[in-house]
Amino acid sequence: MGMEITESLLLDSRNVSGGSAGEEAIPPWKDQITVRGLVVSSMLGALFCIITHKLNLTVGIIPSLNVAAGLLGFFFVKSWTGFVSKLGFSIKPFTRQENTVIQTCVVACYGLAFSGGFGSYLISMDERTYQLIGDDYPGNRSQDVKNPGLGWMIGFMFVVSFLGLFSLVPLRKVMILDYKLTYPSGTATAMLINSFHTNSGAELATKQVNCLGKYLSISLFWSCFKWFFSGIGDACGFDNFPSLGLTLYKNTFYFDFSPTYVGCGLICPHIVNCSALLGAIISWGFLWPFISKHAGDWYPADLGSNDFKGLYGYKVFIAISLILGDGLYNLIKIVAITIREMINKGSRRSIIMESMDSETSSVILEQRKRDQIFLKDRIPLWVAASGYVGLASISTVAIPAIFPPLRWYLVLSSYIIAPALAFCNSYGTGLTDWSLASTYGKIGLFIVASLVGRNGGVVAGLAASGVMMSIVSTAADLMQDFRTGYLTLSSAKSMFVSQLIGTAMGCVVAPLTFWLFWTAFNIGDPDGPYKAPYAVIFREMAILGTEGFSELPKHCLVICNGFFISALLINLLRDLTPKRVSQFIPIPMAMAVPFYIGAYFAIDMFVGTMVLFAWESVNRKNAEDYAGAVASGLICGDGIWTIPSALLSIFRINPPICMYFGPTGK
């Protein structure tokens, strides 16, 4: 499924546990979590929560800040240790494992600023959004209002935010070692952290560090350069460059010069990138234009771009159908393989050894060391199972107390199906680096709102959206960080514990930082700086949901069923055909992402895969050694730029130029 990156930057052959001369001793998992690391994590977590709230309440789009968390974590701790050392105090060495734990803790903390719904489902319940839609809007009732309150928000965060962490812990080996999912942002973060801590003696690693730094600088400069032309709003700049012409641009077919997704294309396998492009062609090239021609017949022609009764409904539900078909097939496949292995314990060992014999000895040694460290500190299955069941039991009682329309049996039902959806989202994130947590949240919203009906369905649906988003989002973040920990030789147990600590921080810090915005600004004002664009969308979505699936546009469910079955058949075909054939069969999960996001995302990744293909054709060894470093540099540079760009936005410093393209003569 994935491409195993074997660069020595990811694992210097000397940097393994043992502590003999010339080796870097890997600290026990408890020593990887330090007091100074937790202090830095809390500071950065608060900073990133503020940045996330700012972006959430203005544009509604949150970039990945994993790379920035790793970079700033290194900078703060290294500055502190350097300062204290100059005072003559003995300081514990700062290791890559501690750096990774800090990054994990920060990501877990600020992740709740997004999955907590402070810019979407949570403030969709408030009175301001109700008034903005208007009491004359059909289904918009004054009874379906719950204004933000610091106490209940913190309580809600605590009862829903930890379940995602326990839901997929048993599958970490499957996702990281067996499926070898790349998790591009996690891989890039690992390479950046390793570059900070790699000994200079390894010649290849040194060259890779230099390569990473070079392309990081190029990407950072390019992102900064693009900002000057991006103007105000979302229609300006290189991100909207009609590189394939204005006609194709209208259907999102354009290259938007994103270093992040070109880098993802370099890391992800060719079949993933080609599958994404195929999905873009099917959806934006044929399906959406075909459905658009039936506007006025299949759905009303005068609807907004985010109305579920129109084209937007097709986009969301068809994408979800493909994702669920692929994810559920692979989940059932994993369960079947696990049962087979339990019956015949010796079969897997022989398969692994047979595949390893065909590898070079150095690659085998490096991979075995990573695998050994990753699997050394096991998280018992009973811990994950009892944690999930215990938290689900508490939530089943607590959530109806916070949101009375959301009955206990609906909460319980959500927790029964949530692990399967969490797997689907984590699997898709590992392939494409896109987490579709908000999409799963919308499905939960729609289903629960339709079950409850007009009497309380709006609040129940929005609350259910929060439950689902929290679980699938934190599960994907955990697997992303497990990938980072795997490549930095960090203990899986320290990663899991740091996720728990960071989540606990986020349950307090995210509501507190949101409360600063809520009390200081008029959140939701369409003429103000904090418009909260998704608040109205989510509330209207919930109102539509109370009317049931019958309100979806014509033929939507039939088309969804077709794509769901197609995903199952494509996966079955991939498993039944020989490898020489199956390697060219597309992956439905990767195909589904452009259905919802847009074709530009797939074009960026396809450019990356074409660059890698040409590079491998000219010099395969050079491509194997440096492609990961180049990709990580591109992702890291763009990721680092999010911090200054967010700060510029917070201080209301706008880009000076709006570069816009239109038809000739207009």
Side-chain angles (χ1 to χ4, degrees), residues 459-526:
V459 171
L462 292 170
S465 172
V467 172
M468 199 60 66
M469 275 184 65
S470 295
I471 293 175
V472 301
S473 178
T474 53
D477 288 344
L478 176 65
M479 285 299 163
Q480 187 92 260
D481 289 330
F482 270 145
R483 173 67 177 175
T484 303
Y486 172 69
L487 297 176
T488 57
L489 304 177
S490 303
S491 166
K493 189 173 288 186
S494 69
M495 301 296 292
F496 182 66
V497 172
S498 63
Q499 275 274 353
L500 291 175
I501 296 172
T503 301
M505 289 180 181
C507 289
V508 177
V509 173
L512 281 174
T513 48
F514 168 75
W515 199 249
L516 294 176
F517 283 90
W518 181 259
T519 54
F521 305 101
N522 188 18
I523 304 299
D525 181 3

Side-chain angles (χ1 to χ4, degrees), residues 339-350:
I339 295 173
R340 187 184 67 186
E341 287 182 353
M342 291 174 65
I343 296 173
N344 185 8
K345 294 182 179 179
S347 61
R348 181 154 181 81
R349 173 182 285 270
S350 62

Side-chain angles (χ1 to χ4, degrees), residues 67-248:
V67 169
L71 173 66
L72 290 179
F74 175 82
F75 171 77
F76 280 117
V77 176
K78 205 66 177 177
S79 300
W80 167 252
T81 55
F83 173 74
V84 174
S85 297
K86 289 180 180 179
L87 297 179
F89 293 97
S90 177
I91 292 295
K92 186 178 180 180
F94 181 42
T95 63
R96 70 183 72 193
Q97 290 78 24
E98 184 180 357
N99 202 161
T100 304
V101 164
I102 293 172
Q103 178 266 338
T104 300
C105 202
V106 173
V107 170
C109 181
Y110 92 80
L112 296 190
F114 164 70
S115 63
F118 298 101
S120 55
Y121 66 84
L122 191 146
I123 59 172
S124 293
M125 305 177 191
D126 84 306
E127 191 170 358
R128 296 178 187 176
T129 306
Y130 159 75
Q131 292 174 347
L132 191 63
I133 294 177
D135 55 8
D136 57 341
Y137 188 92
N140 189 33
R141 308 187 316 153
S142 59
Q143 298 93 322
D144 296 322
V145 168
K146 187 174 182 65
N147 290 313
L150 195 55
W152 74 258
M153 288 191 302
I154 292 176
F156 180 66
M157 291 293 101
F158 269 105
V159 296
V160 302
S161 299
F162 292 90
L163 283 121
L165 303 181
F166 289 96
S167 63
L168 289 190
V169 166
L171 296 180
R172 65 185 180 90
K173 177 180 177 294
V174 172
M175 307 287 267
I176 304 299
L177 300 186
D178 297 344
Y179 274 30
K180 292 182 172 61
L181 297 174
T182 55
Y183 291 99
S185 289
T187 298
T189 305
M191 295 194 72
L192 184 71
I193 291 174
N194 281 342
S195 72
F196 294 147
H197 300 272
T198 299
N199 295 329
S200 59
E203 183 180 353
L204 178 58
T206 303
K207 291 180 179 178
Q208 289 171 326
V209 170
N210 293 335
C211 181
L212 186 148
K214 174 183 175 182
Y215 282 92
L216 185 152
S217 302
I218 292 173
S219 176
L220 181 61
F221 172 79
W222 174 247
S223 299
C224 177
F225 177 77
K226 286 200 305 178
W227 177 83
F228 284 93
F229 299 89
S230 57
I232 301 174
D234 58 357
C236 307
F238 285 92
D239 291 344
N240 296 276
F241 195 99
S243 46
L244 301 177
L246 287 172
T247 302
L248 288 175

